[in-house]
Structures are given as C-alpha cells and as structure tokens.
C-alpha cells in the first residue's frame, strides 16, 4: 500500500503520524532491538563513563536545527 503524503494536508499528516506512533507503542514488545543497536548503546555508555562524551544543550540544538546557518 502506498500513501500519497503529497496529497495530504499538514493536519492529516500529523494525525497519520500519531496513529502510527500509537500503534507502534501498543506493539513495541513484539519487536526486539537489533544487536547493532545494543552495541551502539554500550559504546555510548562507555563513552559517558570514560568522560569522553560530548553533550549539547537540547534547546540550543533545536534552535540550530530550525535555523541552519547558510
């Protein structure tokens, strides 16, 4: 099935995303994370423990994403 998002209004797209997200949340236990995901999380945790991790202020990141420098 193909969904023609180019024919949908923004409100319809948001409703569709919410419906999909709700469905995924209800069935999340049916799916296991892949091994590579566990490995990435372990690497990131090790980076935090080793104090090599770098963190950004979330509000600043959102501002930069919404207003990229040209």
């Amino acid at each position: 099935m193909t969904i023609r998002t180019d024919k949908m209004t923004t409100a319809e797209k948001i409703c569709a995303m919410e419906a999909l997200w709700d469905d995924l949340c209800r069935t999340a236990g049916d799916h296991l994370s892949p091994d590579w995901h566990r490995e990435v999380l372990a690497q990131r945790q090790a980076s935090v423990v080793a104090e090599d991790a770098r963190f950004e202020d979330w509000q600043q990141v959102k501002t930069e994403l919404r207003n990229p420098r040209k």
Side-chain angles (χ1 to χ4, degrees):
M1 172 173 62
T2 302
I3 298 174
R4 296 291 313 259
T5 56
D6 59 323
K7 303 290 183 188
M8 298 170 72
T9 65
T10 299
E12 291 169 332
K13 291 175 185 178
I14 292 170
C15 286
M17 287 190 325
E18 289 174 346
L20 287 169
W21 188 253
D22 288 343
D23 183 66
L24 287 170
C25 288
R26 280 193 301 278
T27 61
D30 297 345
H31 308 284
L32 298 176
S33 293
D35 289 338
W36 68 264
H37 191 229
R38 195 173 303 105
E39 292 167 10
V40 169
L41 291 174
Q43 290 169 356
R44 290 182 181 172
Q45 184 177 16
S47 178
V48 170
V49 170
E51 298 183 0
D52 292 332
R54 193 184 86 158
F55 298 93
E56 302 281 344
D57 176 74
W58 181 233
Q59 294 302 324
Q60 181 63 33
V61 170
K62 287 193 296 187
T63 299
E64 290 173 10
L65 289 171
R66 290 180 180 140
N67 304 301
R69 296 181 196 141
K70 305 248 180 197

